[in-house]
Amino acid sequence: MTDPAPADARVRRLSYFFPAHNEEANLEGLVDEALATLPSLADEFEIIAVDDGSRDRTLEIAERLAAEHPGVVRVVHHDVNRGYGGALRSGFEASRFELLAFTDGDRQFKVADLGRLIDRLHEPDHPDVVVGFRIKRADPFIRVAYARTYKLANRIFFGLRVRDVDCACKLFRREALEGVRVESRGAFFSAELLIKIGEQRRSIAEVGVPHYARTAGSPTGAKPSVIWRAVKDFWLLRLRLWANADRARRRGRPILGG
Ligand SMILES: Nc1nc2c(ncn2[C@@H]2O[C@H](COP(=O)(O)OP(=O)(O)O)[C@@H](O)[C@H]2O)c(=O)[nH]1
Ligand SMILES: [Mg+2]
């Protein structure tokens, strides 16, 4: 059962997307969950499945669901796997409404918990972005240890003060993304996005959200190739900012179109 969202957590129009790479076992359940939940959060909404070059039935299932729910469920497809950041970028680009939110496609977050982020968005300080932090992370210890180191590194080298950089439960006002350029297509994308949004003097609020163990499909977030790519992107950005900050900030494509 999906928890009902609090009654005050409503917005007019919300674009919700999720990255999916080989998520055939999760996709339909997640779309059903979103279809059941989003009417209590938004007057109008869209659900965008970003299939990032999956080799299983992810695309086939997503296309069937889009055909069953025309105008509500949409599919963005990459022929070739681009990586987590590339998939989030496509989700942002495809989003049409003034509020944009995502969770992961593996159901480790509940769509209803976007309601917590929406509640926070409505508070008097009017944040530009609301990001979740996992109240209790449902991942193996080694992932939690990596995440602590990564958080510290982002804080030391980029001044990023966010409790849970990679929490895949985030909500953005469209204005906060305008003019923001990100280069990374891998797992560093989330950190780079928050670093760049922070540089534009946008406010980022944080809200605790529950996190659930994956019950289907398999995680790839801690593959050596994924970590290596994130480390490389991290240092490339840091070195470029040191070398020539203005030029470094002009690199990468804008998140919204361009
Ligand atoms: N776009 C894209 N998404 C991926 C890739 N690998 C995983 N994902 C998606 O990103 C989300 C998180 O992936 P997961 O493997 O569970 O990472 P973890 O939660 O960090 O262990 C899920 O929705 C996956 O489907 C990838 O190579 N490309
Ligand atoms: Mg996961």
Side-chain angles (χ1 to χ4, degrees):
M1 263 293 286
T2 304
D3 295 335
D8 54 341
R10 276 193 82 77
V11 296
R12 215 165 70 70
R13 304 202 303 169
L14 177 70
S15 293
Y16 163 70
F17 63 89
F18 60 88
H21 181 240
N22 297 336
E23 297 290 2
E24 64 180 7
N26 284 311
L27 196 127
E28 183 154 11
L30 178 54
V31 170
D32 284 348
E33 182 188 331
L35 284 166
T37 307
L38 292 177
S40 64
L41 297 180
D43 298 339
E44 198 180 340
F45 61 87
E46 59 183 355
I47 299 166
I48 303 166
V50 184
D51 166 44
D52 188 26
S54 298
R55 288 180 307 276
D56 65 358
R57 292 170 55 244
T58 295
L59 177 63
E60 179 191 325
I61 297 168
E63 284 184 335
R64 172 171 58 75
L65 293 168
E68 285 170 13
H69 303 277
V72 176
V73 178
R74 299 167 53 207
V75 184
V76 176
H77 168 64
H78 300 163
D79 287 333
V80 176
N81 179 255
R82 294 187 193 171
Y84 185 69
L88 290 186
R89 171 186 287 284
S90 292
F92 283 116
E93 272 176 5
S95 295
R96 296 178 302 193
F97 296 148
E98 42 289 311
L99 290 173
L100 297 77
F102 72 86
T103 68
D104 271 348
D106 59 2
R107 309 194 71 188
Q108 289 199 260
F109 296 91
K110 290 258 185 285
V111 179
D113 288 325
L114 290 175
R116 299 176 188 233
L117 277 54
I118 291 172
D119 276 343
R120 182 65 188 84
L121 197 75
H122 286 157
E123 283 183 23
D125 62 336
H126 226 62
D128 297 305
V129 174
V130 184
V131 299
F133 62 84
R134 287 165 280 196
I135 296 165
K136 188 173 184 316
R137 187 164 170 173
D139 281 324
F141 172 75
I142 186 72
R143 293 299 303 275
V144 179
Y146 281 157
R148 285 208 184 118
T149 312
Y150 185 56
K151 174 181 168 182
L152 192 65
N154 275 300
R155 184 172 179 148
I156 292 172
F157 289 101
F158 294 103
L160 182 64
R161 287 171 184 272
V162 170
R163 288 174 73 153
D164 191 359
V165 181
D166 285 334
C167 180
C169 186
K170 293 186 164 78
L171 172 68
F172 303 81
R173 295 186 197 274
R174 179 170 286 275
E175 311 88 86
L177 295 165
E178 260 148 30
V180 172
R181 291 171 178 270
V182 172
E183 262 198 293
S184 169
R185 295 211 303 187
F188 183 58
F189 181 95
S190 301
E192 186 178 349
L193 179 62
L194 296 178
I195 292 163
K196 301 274 177 77
I197 287 175
E199 281 184 339
Q200 309 251 4
R201 306 248 169 268
R202 298 287 186 177
S203 55
I204 302 175
E206 298 174 86
V207 173
V209 291
H211 188 232
Y212 303 87
R214 221 189 218 277
T215 58
S218 43
T220 57
K223 276 200 316 197
S225 58
V226 172
I227 294 176
W228 165 239
R229 191 173 177 189
V231 169
K232 202 176 72 182
D233 289 346
F234 177 103
W235 284 112
L236 268 177
L237 179 63
R238 186 55 272 177
L239 293 171
R240 283 182 175 134
L241 282 166
W242 274 329
N244 184 333
D246 284 340
R247 183 139 42 106
R249 289 194 184 101
R250 286 195 302 270
R251 291 182 65 96
R253 274 198 305 127
I255 288 295
L256 297 178

